[in-house]
Amino acid sequence: MRENDMLEKEEIFSKVLRAGRRTYFFDVRATKADDYYITITESKKFTEEDGSFHFKKHKIYLYKEDFAAFSEILSDMTSYVLNHKGEEVISERHQKDFKKEYATEKVDTEEEASQISNFIDIDFDDI
């Protein structure tokens, strides 16, 4: 492998954000022309029933000419979410103390039983 190819893959500056099953890697890398760009990699861990696991990764390449617009849109989007939904995490599964509990509720009335029996299971592959 040529020396320039090695430089292209070299990480100049890196930060990591661990977020539950997801990990985000922010890396500054150099192009062949020795200019810098950013890669953002999301790595998500999946555990199999046998206990083994694998990771799925998604990567975004962000070049200098797009930094300002990207930053502005990201700021707009995060502000929108926080202004409309606040900072509280709504999804239980993303709470730090989340423990999955299985519902074992008993149907109390005939009306509730009737509503449940009227449920139709649709397979979207058939549509």
Side-chain angles (χ1 to χ4, degrees):
M1 191 180 275
R2 296 183 333 208
E3 186 177 334
N4 282 350
D5 291 336
M6 291 295 287
L7 287 175
E8 182 182 20
K9 297 189 182 300
E10 180 184 345
E11 294 171 5
I12 310 300
F13 179 68
S14 297
K15 293 226 175 199
V16 176
L17 170 62
R18 299 195 195 293
R21 291 184 342 168
R22 290 182 173 87
T23 302
Y24 298 96
F25 299 92
F26 299 85
D27 300 302
V28 174
R29 298 178 182 260
T31 64
K32 289 180 182 179
D34 200 33
D35 203 0
Y36 289 169
Y37 65 99
I38 297 172
T39 61
I40 302 170
T41 307
E42 175 199 43
S43 179
K44 187 173 179 182
K45 184 176 183 178
F46 290 89
T47 306
E48 305 294 337
E49 289 181 15
D50 65 0
S52 65
F53 58 88
H54 67 280
F55 295 92
K56 286 189 180 178
K57 295 182 180 182
H58 300 90
K59 189 172 283 203
I60 296 172
Y61 295 84
L62 188 59
Y63 298 94
K64 288 192 313 189
E65 60 267 24
D66 302 320
F67 285 3
F70 187 92
S71 179
E72 183 179 330
I73 291 172
L74 181 61
S75 178
D76 289 347
M77 300 305 277
T78 56
S79 293
Y80 180 88
V81 170
L82 294 174
N83 289 336
H84 285 82
K85 294 296 181 178
E87 292 188 24
E88 180 183 357
V89 177
I90 296 171
S91 174
E92 287 180 345
R93 69 187 306 172
H94 292 97
Q95 300 289 337
K96 290 182 179 181
D97 59 350
F98 172 71
K99 291 181 183 163
K100 188 171 185 177
E101 295 179 17
Y102 295 95
T104 56
E105 294 178 20
K106 185 178 175 181
V107 178
D108 292 331
T109 66
E110 273 187 44
E111 183 180 326
E112 288 175 350
S114 171
Q115 288 174 350
I116 292 171
S117 67
N118 289 334
F119 177 79
I120 298 173
D121 189 12
I122 298 174
D123 187 351
F124 287 101
D125 292 335
D126 295 338
I127 296 177

